[in-house]
Amino acid sequence: MPRRTGTERLEARQARLESHAAETDPGVVLNAAARFLEQRSRSIDEVRRHLNAARYPAELVDAAVGRLVDLGMLDDRAFAQAWVESRDRARPRGTLALRRELALKGIDRETVAAVLTDRVEAAANADDDADSAGRGADELAAERLLRRSRSALLRVVDARVRRHRAYALLARNGFDPEVCREVSARLVAEDDNLDD
């Protein structure tokens, strides 16, 4: 099959959007939303924006989103909780970055605050772990991030430069300046003790 030109692809997309705008079957919109959710979990706002961008009628979009909420397939609190847990595991971020990311996903401030409070409480409950005793959720996440970047940081011979690079890495990932200062200083001190 010959490849379509850019103009042909644009015309096909325009025709598809026009057919979406003329859609009257709520099942079609619900199926489109379900297909969008197959890739990963999404927030209510993400699904709504996706369906609106596809130009489905607003009343069908509202009905589909409502149905998915009723079925439990869309839950902003569960989505935010999973997002924060995933970030803490795979790509640690500070509270500032997590707030920003969740806001971009359309999660309301109250839900974000509740989820981040749960994160702090979970870190406080981890006091049975001797390594994490007395440290907050952001400190633990910052330490995980620096542990992952430790080999690159150790290549820097000058301890002062190493501390600055660790601080900058943490700051870029949304950690509070105080957390950046404390954790980066602790890392450099530990590394210097290993060298002795």
Side-chain angles (χ1 to χ4, degrees), residues 152-177:
L153 290 169
L154 286 174
R155 283 183 247 152
V156 177
V157 177
D158 185 2
R160 189 172 126 286
V161 174
R162 189 178 329 130
R163 186 180 68 243
H164 286 296
R165 287 196 183 170
Y167 183 101
L169 174 66
L170 294 174
R172 280 193 309 271
N173 284 283
F175 291 97
D176 182 78

Side-chain angles (χ1 to χ4, degrees), residues 12 23 39-40 93 130 135 140 145 158 161-162 167 173 177 179:
E23 189 61 59
Q39 299 167 2
R40 67 170 174 85
R93 297 285 187 264
R135 297 193 190 140
L140 294 173
L145 180 61
D158 185 2
V161 174
R162 189 178 329 130
Y167 183 101
N173 284 283
V179 170

Side-chain angles (χ1 to χ4, degrees), residues 24 29 83 146:
T24 59
V29 180
W83 184 268
L146 288 182

Side-chain angles (χ1 to χ4, degrees), residues 9-10 49 53 62 65 68 72-73 76-77 80 101-102 107 117 123 126 131 135 140 154 157 163-164 166 168 189 195:
R9 287 193 307 269
L10 186 60
R49 280 185 286 178
D62 292 339
V65 168
L68 291 172
M73 293 176 71
D76 277 353
R77 173 72 187 243
E101 288 176 352
L102 290 172
I107 307 298
T117 300
D131 292 337
R135 297 193 190 140
L140 294 173
L154 286 174
V157 177
R163 186 180 68 243
H164 286 296
D195 291 340

Side-chain angles (χ1 to χ4, degrees), residues 67-83:
R67 182 70 177 136
L68 291 172
V69 168
D70 292 343
L71 292 172
M73 293 176 71
L74 283 178
D75 181 356
D76 277 353
R77 173 72 187 243
F79 170 80
Q81 188 74 38
W83 184 268

